[in-house]
Amino acid sequence: MTLELFFQYLFAGITYGSLYAIVAIGFNIIYNTTGIINFAQGEFVMLGGMISISLLQFMPLGAAIAVAVLITMLIGAAIEMLFIRWLVHPSVLRLVIITIGISILLRESALHIWGESIRSLPYFYGNEITTFSLGSVNISPQVIWVILACAVMMVGLNIFFRSTPIGREMRACAANRTAALLCGVNTRNMVTLSFMLSAGIGALAGCVMSPITYTQYDSGASLAIKGFTVAILGGLGNSMAAVAAGLLLGIIEAFSVTVVPLAFQDAVTITILLIILFVRPHGIFGSSEAARLKDF
Amino acid sequence: MKTRKLLSLTALALLTAGLHLFTVLSGTQFYLTQLTMAAYYGLVVIGLGVMMGYAGQISIGHAGFFAIGGYLSAALTTNDLTPFLAPGLIRWLDRVGLLVHGQDIFGDPLMTVSPWAACLSAVTVTALIALLIGGPVLKLRGHYLAMATLGFGIIVYRIFLASPFFGEADGISEVPGFQLLPATGLLGPVIISGDAAHRVLNYYLAWGVLLLGMALLLNLIDSRAGRALRSLHSSEEAAEAFGIDTARCKVQVFVLSAIYAALAGSLLTHFNGGIGPGEASVMKSVRYVALVAVGGMTSLWGTLVMGVGLTFLSLRGVFGSYDDVVFGVILIAVMLFAPEGVLRGLFGRALQRFLPGRQT
């Protein structure tokens, strides 16, 4: 492998890895406040892309993305209020099945609204063949957009969780729900908020990735399982580790093309998931003792 | 207890004959084709029902087992195996009578395995795979178990979709019929195939297999092993304390339900004359889970009735392009409003009294 090729693969890996990291953070936000793995997380990414593509006919790109993110956030809130909020002590099995059902509903609604065609947003800057050179490597400007968006989201979330009152309340809810309730935190609203937040960042990821990966009604499922792989790899609930794990998985996936055919790429990722689940279910960066105390 | 079980199984047999009679009287014999297919899918669903309802272990990868069974049967009986087997092995297999020599549509020689051997090896391979992954997978719980089985299903789907040997996106077609018994005396051959001539025979074969599968599962549930399984559902720790080897128990029921799925896949593939990667898709696995859920997790009869009934409606195309939506809605609605299942939810305990099964 030449050095140029190596860097091309590396950048492809980082691009996809950023996307996986964002999906994983979406998983983590909901998991932290509710203990639910939201199997519909990938569908939020798909919805963000699809809605922004449709809105593009009526408004400029920036506004379309902003409105798409808002709409997806409202959908996320509506889902939580309709299907999760009023359940009394639901079992994990029940919640898993409900969120799977929600993901089917979202995907099939998308199929009936947008059809089977593959769509995409235009490149934010330039077009498909615009590249700029970094040393000997050619990079599409969209890659920079993706990495930038991922970084901004990370910093934004960090500030939100550490410095704003609502962010602190959400963290309190994550640490101990009963204690948070006793301190006057409206934990139910925090759960709704966590669904909105993870729908929002999922949608934004769907928008920035759309020019590169394209958007189709069923693109959510494979994203969800990769995002979950990353979330587990970093240790469930740990968003900072998820970024590192996301980049790691993206790079492994990009380089796997050199060893196994492209058609088996998903199988590679999922095999990694299974191995992690079998060997280190608490993640690379997590501690096994903390994991034992958690209720899966 | 025993008489009740016998009674309900007799009722199923009568229902089978009754449905046939109904189609004859109403001139709708073409329903038999979908009823046959629904019975095979019903076999997958009751197998999964024991695992989900009684042992309390979710699997969102059962379409994977179904597809392994179906695809192996199809590939072994349809593809030319000459390049894959060593000449010595071919001679040996020939002597045992496991090989079938024929011609493909271009007149080239075609060497395949006989359906019996193919079906048995497909089911055995599936059981071995289930055994192999069952150990580590079933150590997981809750979300992790769901994701691991889902992941397994996707891997199987991807492999079939990407392998030229399994026909890639086209799947395998032109699968020959499965001759169970050769023609004897006045009776014609007993053969599983989609030919209109064998329609009634196949209908009874499929429902017979379903009846047999059901009887076995009912016996299992009432046995010592079945009680051990049921104790897993409520509390694994308590089961351990009673001296039940929970890990082993879970793997056993996992393998059993995989065998049910593989057998159904193999037989249905011979009946349909082909199989495609869609059979391994995640949506199929989710559908099986939905059918178990709507039947009431802990009621095998409910699972059977709902599984066969809804699958029949879906195969008839009643739900149109909203097929997947219907199953998604069912899944959510059942889990939100009646996690005990629709039959029990609507008709309460009154119905349960007449149905054998869980008596806790």
Side-chain angles (χ1 to χ4, degrees):
Chain A
M1 190 187 298
T2 59
L3 201 63
E4 285 95 60
L5 206 56
F6 175 83
F7 278 109
Q8 291 291 1
Y9 280 131
L10 191 68
F11 268 95
I14 291 173
T15 314
Y16 280 86
S18 312
L19 175 68
Y20 300 155
I22 294 171
V23 180
I25 293 169
F27 272 118
N28 283 337
I29 291 173
I30 292 183
Y31 177 79
N32 273 341
T33 43
T34 60
I36 299 173
I37 296 287
N38 175 25
F39 279 68
Q41 189 63 37
E43 267 63 32
F44 290 147
V45 180
M46 179 271 295
L47 280 179
M50 280 298 193
I51 295 173
S52 64
I53 292 163
S54 292
L55 288 176
L56 200 59
Q57 297 166 1
F58 311 108
M59 52 186 83
L61 185 66
I65 291 176
V67 176
V69 169
L70 268 178
I71 293 176
T72 316
M73 283 172 88
L74 290 180
I75 294 173
I79 284 171
E80 197 276 338
M81 286 179 187
L82 274 176
F83 300 121
I84 314 274
R85 195 182 182 93
W86 50 276
L87 294 177
V88 187
H89 296 301
S91 68
V92 171
L93 186 67
R94 229 173 130 191
L95 286 171
V96 167
I97 296 180
I98 288 174
T99 56
I100 289 175
I102 292 168
S103 80
I104 295 171
L105 285 192
L106 290 178
R107 187 170 33 196
E108 292 298 311
S109 314
L111 174 63
H112 282 275
I113 296 171
W114 289 288
E116 283 187 334
S117 58
I118 299 171
R119 292 147 189 262
S120 80
L121 281 176
Y123 276 67
F124 293 3
Y125 174 84
N127 55 33
E128 288 88 339
I129 49 169
T130 315
T131 55
F132 64 92
S133 303
L134 200 79
S136 56
V137 190
N138 294 321
I139 300 169
S140 160
Q142 193 65 29
V143 169
I144 305 300
W145 274 106
V146 171
I147 296 172
L148 208 67
C150 178
V152 167
M153 252 186 266
M154 278 305 303
V155 174
L157 281 175
N158 241 325
I159 293 172
F160 173 75
F161 278 120
R162 288 187 191 282
S163 312
T164 63
I166 297 177
R168 284 209 203 100
E169 286 183 12
M170 281 180 78
R171 266 174 49 218
C173 187
N176 187 331
R177 215 169 155 185
T178 322
L181 193 64
L182 289 173
C183 291
V185 176
N186 188 335
T187 50
R188 289 193 157 186
N189 284 353
M190 290 303 126
V191 172
T192 313
L193 201 61
S194 73
F195 267 81
M196 286 178 74
L197 204 56
S198 77
I201 64 169
L204 186 55
C207 294
V208 289
M209 280 305 278
S210 179
I212 302 178
T213 60
Y214 304 114
T215 311
Q216 205 185 357
Y217 77 99
D218 62 353
S219 55
S222 81
L223 270 180
I225 195 138
K226 284 176 187 170
F228 181 79
T229 309
V230 168
I232 299 280
L233 196 62
L236 208 51
N238 185 347
S239 290
M240 274 303 169
V243 176
L247 296 180
L248 184 67
L249 185 78
I251 291 169
I252 292 176
E253 203 181 75
F255 279 100
S256 77
V257 179
T258 57
V259 188
V260 288
L262 185 64
F264 291 103
Q265 201 179 39
D266 277 6
V268 170
T269 318
I270 297 162
T271 310
I272 294 173
L273 167 68
L274 289 182
I275 293 171
I276 301 161
L277 283 177
F278 296 162
V279 183
R280 274 186 82 85
H282 41 86
I284 299 179
F285 310 107
S287 93
S288 63
E289 284 174 22
R292 216 171 293 145
L293 296 172
K294 278 185 190 165
D295 178 32
F296 299 124
Chain B
M1 192 65 227
K2 239 179 197 157
T3 47
R4 199 185 285 169
K5 189 163 39 184
L6 216 58
L7 268 177
S8 43
L9 284 173
T10 319
L12 180 60
L14 286 177
L15 175 76
T16 310
L19 277 177
H20 179 211
L21 196 68
F22 173 77
T23 56
V24 172
L25 290 180
S26 60
T28 49
Q29 277 104 322
F30 49 86
Y31 281 167
L32 287 182
T33 307
Q34 283 87 24
L35 281 170
T36 310
M37 291 163 75
Y40 287 130
Y41 283 120
L43 198 63
V44 188
V45 176
I46 57 171
L48 183 62
V50 169
M51 172 153 159
M52 269 178 68
Y54 289 87
Q57 311 295 316
I58 193 173
S59 164
I60 322 179
H62 255 55
F65 292 125
F66 180 92
I68 294 174
Y71 260 107
L72 280 183
S73 278
L76 290 177
T77 54
T78 315
N79 290 354
D80 183 30
L81 298 171
T82 322
F84 300 103
L85 300 176
L89 189 62
I90 291 180
R91 242 174 288 130
W92 184 80
L93 285 174
D94 233 352
R95 204 174 311 148
V96 191
L98 292 179
L99 293 184
V100 178
H101 295 275
Q103 281 184 334
D104 64 11
I105 46 170
F106 305 110
D108 294 327
L110 181 72
M111 189 192 68
T112 58
V113 176
S114 78
W116 265 110
C119 178
L120 284 180
S121 45
V123 171
T124 316
V125 167
T126 312
L128 284 178
I129 292 174
L131 192 66
L132 206 68
I133 68 161
V137 163
L138 292 165
K139 270 194 204 130
L140 306 169
R141 289 188 203 179
H143 295 121
Y144 283 17
L145 178 63
M147 269 294 179
T149 49
L150 180 67
F152 166 74
I154 296 180
I155 290 179
V156 172
Y157 174 65
R158 287 283 161 194
I159 289 176
F160 284 135
L161 193 61
S163 307
F165 184 66
F166 294 112
E168 295 180 334
D170 295 330
I172 299 175
S173 51
E174 311 278 324
V175 177
F178 182 174
Q179 188 169 336
L180 293 169
L181 294 171
T184 43
L186 291 174
L187 294 169
V190 178
I191 185 167
I192 294 182
S193 87
D195 277 356
H198 302 297
R199 190 190 272 151
V200 175
L201 170 73
N202 269 281
Y203 167 72
Y204 279 102
L205 275 177
W207 283 74
V209 172
L210 182 64
L211 187 81
L212 207 66
M214 191 69 185
L216 282 176
L217 287 185
L218 288 176
N219 272 334
L220 173 79
I221 288 162
D222 287 336
S223 72
R224 191 184 153 80
R227 283 193 295 277
L229 275 185
R230 274 182 272 164
S231 71
L232 279 182
H233 196 179
S234 16
S235 163
E236 264 179 53
E237 286 80 8
E240 283 277 357
F242 274 102
I244 293 164
D245 188 347
T246 53
R248 203 177 138 173
C249 229
K250 283 195 273 184
V251 174
Q252 281 171 341
V253 74
F254 188 61
V255 172
L256 181 74
S257 68
I259 289 176
Y260 268 64
L263 184 68
S266 170
L267 297 181
L268 184 59
T269 300
H270 282 293
F271 178 71
N272 284 344
I275 187 168
E279 286 295 345
S281 66
V282 173
M283 198 50 225
K284 280 276 179 182
S285 294
V286 171
R287 175 174 298 202
Y288 298 140
V289 172
L291 290 172
V292 172
V294 74
M297 299 264 193
T298 52
S299 157
L300 264 192
W301 282 106
T303 306
L304 178 87
V305 170
M306 283 300 175
V308 176
L310 283 176
T311 308
F312 173 71
L313 290 180
S314 162
L315 288 169
R316 285 298 310 164
V318 174
F319 308 133
S321 68
Y322 293 95
D323 207 36
D324 286 344
V325 183
V326 167
F327 283 91
V329 169
I330 286 174
L331 208 53
I332 296 180
V334 169
M335 281 297 126
L336 285 183
F337 304 114
E340 297 228 297
V342 167
L343 285 182
R344 199 179 296 192
L346 289 183
F347 307 109
R349 301 261 156 201
L351 189 72
Q352 274 297 304
R353 222 173 298 143
F354 299 102
L355 298 175
R358 192 179 163 113
Q359 300 284 316
T360 43

